[in-house]
C-alpha cells in the first residue's frame, strides 16, 4: 500500500477541479490513495492525466470512482507479477529526472564517481 510522505494541500479546499498527474499507472494503488485524499479534501471534480496506464488500472479507477475523468496517452495490456507495465517505458522517475542507474552501489556513495545523465 502506498505511503504518504508529503502533502501540501491547504486545510480548506477552495477549488472546483483538481488535475492529478501521474506518468505511469500500473496497478492504480497509488492513484486510488491520491483520489481518496482528494475526495476527503473536498474537491468536487477530479481529472486524472497519465502518459501510460494498464487496462487494469483504468478499470480499477473507473469502477471505484465513476465520477472521475481519466486521460491516457497510451494503454498497455498487462502488468507483470511485480506490478510493472508490459511492455511499459521503464522507470518514469529515472526518465523524468535523468537519474542514472548504477550497478555498483559503492560508486553511488562517491560524488566524484557518479555518472551524469543527460
Amino acid at each position: 500500500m502506498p505511503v504518504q510522505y508529503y502533502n501540501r494541500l491547504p486545510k480548506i479546499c477552495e477549488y472546483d477541479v483538481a488535475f492529478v498527474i501521474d506518468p505511469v499507472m500500473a496497478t492504480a494503488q497509488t492513484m486510488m490513495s491520491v483520489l481518496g485524499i482528494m475526495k476527503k479534501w473536498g474537491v468536487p471534480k477530479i481529472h486524472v492525466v497519465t502518459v501510460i496506464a494498464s487496462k487494469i488500472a483504468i478499470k480499477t479507477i473507473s469502477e471505484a470512482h465513476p465520477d472521475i475523468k481519466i486521460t491516457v496517452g497510451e494503454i498497455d495490456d498487462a502488468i507483470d507479477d511485480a506490478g510493472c507495465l508490459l511492455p511499459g517505458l521503464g522507470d518514469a522517475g529515472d526518465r523524468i529526472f535523468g537519474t542514472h542507474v548504477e550497478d555498483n552501489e559503492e560508486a553511488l556513495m562517491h560524488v566524484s564517481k557518479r555518472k551524469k545523465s543527460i
Side-chain angles (χ1 to χ4, degrees):
M1 200 57 155
V3 175
Q4 181 177 320
Y5 292 103
Y6 189 74
N7 183 339
R8 296 260 336 239
L9 293 172
K11 289 184 181 184
I12 298 170
C13 176
E14 298 177 350
Y15 302 96
D16 297 329
V17 64
F19 288 88
V20 182
I21 312 298
D22 190 1
V24 177
M25 288 193 319
T27 63
Q29 287 184 349
T30 301
M31 187 57 70
M32 291 293 288
S33 292
V34 170
L35 296 174
I37 291 167
M38 299 304 288
K39 284 190 169 187
K40 184 177 178 183
W41 184 48
V43 68
K45 204 173 187 183
I46 302 171
H47 192 123
V48 172
V49 180
T50 184
V51 175
I52 188 168
S54 69
K55 288 182 178 179
I56 296 164
I58 295 169
K59 181 179 179 193
T60 300
I61 293 169
S62 297
E63 288 177 354
H65 302 284
D67 56 318
I68 291 177
K69 303 254 188 265
I70 304 171
T71 300
V72 182
E74 183 70 32
I75 299 173
D76 276 354
D77 291 328
I79 56 174
D80 64 14
D81 293 336
C84 296
L85 283 172
L86 294 173
L89 56 78
D91 190 311
D94 287 343
R95 293 186 184 281
I96 292 168
F97 299 108
T99 54
H100 174 74
V101 179
E102 181 65 57
D103 293 332
N104 179 1
E105 290 183 19
E106 184 66 25
L108 294 174
M109 301 302 289
H110 305 285
V111 177
S112 63
K113 294 183 180 181
R114 291 184 197 154
K115 295 177 184 175
K116 292 187 178 182
S117 43
I118 298 174

